[in-house]
């Protein structure tokens, strides 16, 4: 198994400055050619742009806030990227690299007092795009795309079995396809299906709530897991649900009842069945349980592979006991239990909205979050919240979206199970649905996609090619390399693509081959 370790944003500044020079002219052309349909997408996503750039949510909206490329069918990708004030990020970094004045400080002048003046150009960016006149650029022609992509698919690095689909997001029509209905191992591109299903079942504003419930007759305090793997015990919660806050508020409520000592228990009954993934004990995924803190990581990391606590729920409960002690409430060593209907809820903490959790899952390929969202999809669908129930619920929700699931065989939410099967056709159908202006509830399935050369699992890729123009979910297992997402062509056309390769022997070479295919779409007028 091969797992791509996301690199922090700060390590990409030099690449960003280099990429800006190549990307900016093309983005400007794309913005000028954007038509009324793209303007509708801009209006649909403008409120989301405002929401996702709040300081307390940037960690888990990296695809949209960290770089400011909130994509809805290529609108912002075509005209951006933008920072939280709406300024073109690439242009600002490029200006800094050239030692030009500008950026956030637009010339205060010698001796001027006070903080830098904000960039004046931010306010009308989306409005200006919406006012663009003229028709959108013509879509690439299928024959031209065939001439571009088919030779690239013959690269031996892609193995003997592969599927490829390219769809015009404006019309929904397929422009290119080979093996589109072939069932292949999707690896982490499975998370696109998980995202679409969870958003459909729960809605983008749904939050995952962890609570502390007190059994007054027995003096038992129950920490009830809400299935939120992003629950954190860190001092700086960074906008996530805080176990420290839950402990402080619980202790305060207990003191009001003159309770200074409790029997501590924890409740994980929101989920059912075994929490052990078919891959077994693995640094890529903790035991799947309704209660954990910081994804049960033992090394302080926030993403990528890491050693995990053997019993995440017990570990979180022990931490909770320690935090209660800091607030004057002594707790017994915790054990498993179940809160009764008689228990009084003393305090709760809730996750960021589901849209933000989906973005975090996609940007950083978060396996723990993927499995949690699959189980919540099961619970919302009236199915058993175990691996089998979650898989059935995800499949059912995809059918509800009106996409064909023929050839799909889903066994988990993360794509770590090698028994998973998806088709290139299904992946591009899901991306097209997420881009539909009549389905704004699915938009996070696009805005969470890593940005080439900028964020998440694509931060170290496309440094000399389609940086900023490709947004895609990566997938890597031993012998499997996949890539599915969106791209803006040279003529400003927004496309969805899915490339799946099975039987690869050199993961680096296969990854490069897939990147060349996506880059060829970005560079293609193909008319």
């Amino acid at each position: 198994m091969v797992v791509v370790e996301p690199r922090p944003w700060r390590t990409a500044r030099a690449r960003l400055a280099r990429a800006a020079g190549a990307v900016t002219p093309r983005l400007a052309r794309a913005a000028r050619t954007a038509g009324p349909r793209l303007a509708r997408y801009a209006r649909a996503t403008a409120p989301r742009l405002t929401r996702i750039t709040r300081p307390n949510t940037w960690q888990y909206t990296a695809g949209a806030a960290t770089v400011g490329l909130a994509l809805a069918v290529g609108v912002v990708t075509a005209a951006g990227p933008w920072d939280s004030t709406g300024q073109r990020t690439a242009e600002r970094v490029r200006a800094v690299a050239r030692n030009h004045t500008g950026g956030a400080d637009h010339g205060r002048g010698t001796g001027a007092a006070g903080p830098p003046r904000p960039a004046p150009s931010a306010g009308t960016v989306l409005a200006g795009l919406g006012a663009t006149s003229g028709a959108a650029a013509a879509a690439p022609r299928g024959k031209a795309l065939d001439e571009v992509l088919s030779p690239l698919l013959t690269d031996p690095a892609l193995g003997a079995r592969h599927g490829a689909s390219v769809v015009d997001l404006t019309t929904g029509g397929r422009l290119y396809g080979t093996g589109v209905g072939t069932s292949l191992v999707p690896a982490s591109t499975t998370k696109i299906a998980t995202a679409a299903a969870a958003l459909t079942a729960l809605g983008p504003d749904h939050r995952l709530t962890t609570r502390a419930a007190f059994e007054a007759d027995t003096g038992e305090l129950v920490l009830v897991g809400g299935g939120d793997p992003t629950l954190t015990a860190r001092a700086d919660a960074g906008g996530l649900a805080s176990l420290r806050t839950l402990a402080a508020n619980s202790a305060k409520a207990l003191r009001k009842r003159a309770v200074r000592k409790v029997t501590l228990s924890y409740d994980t009954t929101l989920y059912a069945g075994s929490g052990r993934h078919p891959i077994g004990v693995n640094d890529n995924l903790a035991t799947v349980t309704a209660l954990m803190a910081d994804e049960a990581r033992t090394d302080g990391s926030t993403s990528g592979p890491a050693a995990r606590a053997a019993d995440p729920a017990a570990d979180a409960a022990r931490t909770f006991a320690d935090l209660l002690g800091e607030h004057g409430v002594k707790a017994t060593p915790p054990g498993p239990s179940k809160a009764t209907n008689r228990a009084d809820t003393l305090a709760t903490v809730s996750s960021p909205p589901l849209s933000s959790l989906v973005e975090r899952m996609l940007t950083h390929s978060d396996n723990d979050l993927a499995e949690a969202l699959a189980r919540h999809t099961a619970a919302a669908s009236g199915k058993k919240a175990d691996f089998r129930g979650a898989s059935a619920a995800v499949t059912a929700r995809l059918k509800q979206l009106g996409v064909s699931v023929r050839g799909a065989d889903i066994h988990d939410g993360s794509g770590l199970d090698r028994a998973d099967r998806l088709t290139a056709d299904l992946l591009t159908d899901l991306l097209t649905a997420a881009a539909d202006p009549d389905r704004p509830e699915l938009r996070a399935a696009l805005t969470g996609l890593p940005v080439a050369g900028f964020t998440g699992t694509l931060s170290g890729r496309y440094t000399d090619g389609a940086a900023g123009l490709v947004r895609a979910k990566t997938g890597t297992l031993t012998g499997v390399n996949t890539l599915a997402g969106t791209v803006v062509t040279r003529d400003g056309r927004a496309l969805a693509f899915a490339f799946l390769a099975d039987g690869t022997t050199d993961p680096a070479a296969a990854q490069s081959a897939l990147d060349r295919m996506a880059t060829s779409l970005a560079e293609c007028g193909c008319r």
Side-chain angles (χ1 to χ4, degrees):
M1 180 178 298
V2 181
V3 176
V4 180
E5 180 74 26
R7 290 195 287 177
W9 161 248
R10 59 178 175 269
T11 64
R13 285 184 178 174
R15 289 198 311 276
L16 175 60
R18 292 195 302 271
V23 171
T24 299
R26 186 178 301 160
L27 296 179
R29 289 196 303 270
R32 287 194 297 270
T33 59
R37 181 67 179 254
L38 295 184
R40 288 198 296 273
Y41 295 144
R43 290 193 294 272
T45 53
R48 179 163 189 80
L49 268 171
T50 301
R51 182 168 69 252
I52 61 178
T53 52
R54 291 175 183 168
N56 66 339
T57 61
W58 69 268
Q59 290 96 333
Y60 32 81
T61 57
T66 304
V67 187
L69 288 172
L71 172 66
V73 202
V75 172
V76 181
T77 302
W82 312 97
D83 63 17
S84 61
T85 65
Q87 184 171 356
R88 191 187 299 272
T89 308
E91 288 187 353
R92 182 174 67 180
V93 175
R94 187 183 184 196
V96 170
R98 291 183 170 184
N99 296 318
H100 289 177
T101 59
D105 182 357
H106 279 246
R108 284 180 296 178
T110 305
R117 294 197 301 271
S121 56
T124 59
V125 167
L126 289 178
L129 183 60
T132 301
S133 61
R141 294 183 181 275
K143 182 178 180 181
L145 278 180
D146 180 73
E147 293 174 352
V148 170
L149 293 178
S150 292
L152 296 175
L153 276 170
T154 63
D155 191 326
L158 293 178
R161 285 168 49 83
H162 43 69
S165 175
V166 179
V167 171
D168 179 6
L169 283 177
T170 303
T171 66
R174 182 183 293 120
L175 303 177
Y176 176 82
T178 181
V180 294
T182 302
S183 299
L184 296 168
V185 181
S188 277
T189 56
T190 299
K191 293 182 177 73
I192 295 174
T194 302
L199 290 166
T200 301
L202 299 162
D205 297 323
H206 182 78
R207 295 173 187 263
L208 314 181
T209 299
T210 306
R211 65 189 181 99
F214 184 60
E215 305 276 4
D217 55 343
T218 62
E220 181 184 16
L221 181 65
V222 186
L223 179 60
V224 183
D228 178 12
T230 67
L231 176 72
T232 182
R234 295 186 176 91
D236 181 5
L240 302 174
S242 171
L243 193 63
R244 291 172 180 266
T245 298
L246 186 63
N249 292 342
S250 298
K252 182 179 179 180
L254 288 168
R255 290 196 303 269
K256 286 183 178 180
R257 296 169 179 247
V259 176
R260 301 287 179 172
K261 183 176 181 179
V262 296
T263 299
L264 182 62
S265 302
Y266 56 90
D267 182 346
T268 62
T269 58
L270 179 65
Y271 293 172
S274 172
R276 182 166 178 169
H277 192 278
I279 63 171
V281 178
N282 192 286
D283 286 353
N284 291 299
L285 180 70
T287 299
V288 183
T289 176
L291 176 64
M292 65 174 69
D294 299 304
E295 298 183 338
R297 296 172 181 271
T298 61
D299 63 356
S301 64
T302 58
S303 64
R308 313 301 180 100
D311 187 340
D315 186 67
R318 286 191 292 269
T319 301
F320 187 66
D322 293 340
L323 294 170
L324 287 172
E326 294 177 6
H327 293 280
V329 175
K330 185 176 180 179
T332 63
S337 184
K338 177 176 172 57
T340 69
N341 293 332
R342 301 185 304 275
D344 296 326
T345 297
L346 299 183
T348 64
V349 290
S350 295
S351 72
L354 186 72
S355 56
S356 294
L357 297 181
V358 164
E359 288 175 336
R360 172 178 173 140
M361 173 188 69
L362 293 172
T363 298
H364 297 291
S365 201
D366 191 317
N367 297 310
D368 300 280
L369 195 44
E371 297 301 346
L373 295 185
R375 272 170 165 68
H376 281 284
T377 300
S381 304
K383 298 185 181 297
K384 192 175 181 179
D386 58 7
F387 279 109
R388 178 173 294 182
S391 301
V394 168
T395 302
R397 292 295 179 171
L398 299 186
K399 289 181 180 178
Q400 181 182 333
L401 286 173
V403 299
S404 172
V405 296
R406 185 176 181 179
D409 190 6
I410 298 173
H411 293 266
D412 66 358
S414 62
L416 289 173
D417 194 327
R418 299 187 68 87
D420 287 335
R421 294 292 185 274
L422 293 179
T423 66
D425 194 24
L426 174 56
L427 288 170
T428 50
D429 280 353
L430 290 174
L431 293 167
T432 302
D436 188 339
D438 294 329
R439 285 173 165 168
E441 71 279 5
L442 299 180
R443 204 73 75 238
L446 291 185
T447 58
L449 295 173
V451 184
F454 290 87
T455 62
T457 54
L458 287 186
S459 63
R461 293 162 67 168
Y462 298 90
T463 55
D464 298 320
L469 296 177
V470 171
R471 299 191 67 139
K473 182 69 200 74
T474 58
T476 308
L477 293 172
T478 301
V480 175
N481 291 85
T482 59
L483 190 70
T486 63
V487 62
V488 178
T489 70
R490 185 180 63 194
D491 294 326
R493 199 75 174 192
L495 311 178
F497 67 87
F499 305 139
L500 291 79
D502 197 348
T504 61
T505 57
D506 184 337
Q511 175 180 294
S512 295
L514 294 178
D515 288 350
R516 282 193 294 273
M517 292 179 69
T519 298
S520 71
L521 291 177
E523 295 176 346
C524 182
C526 300
R527 287 181 291 168

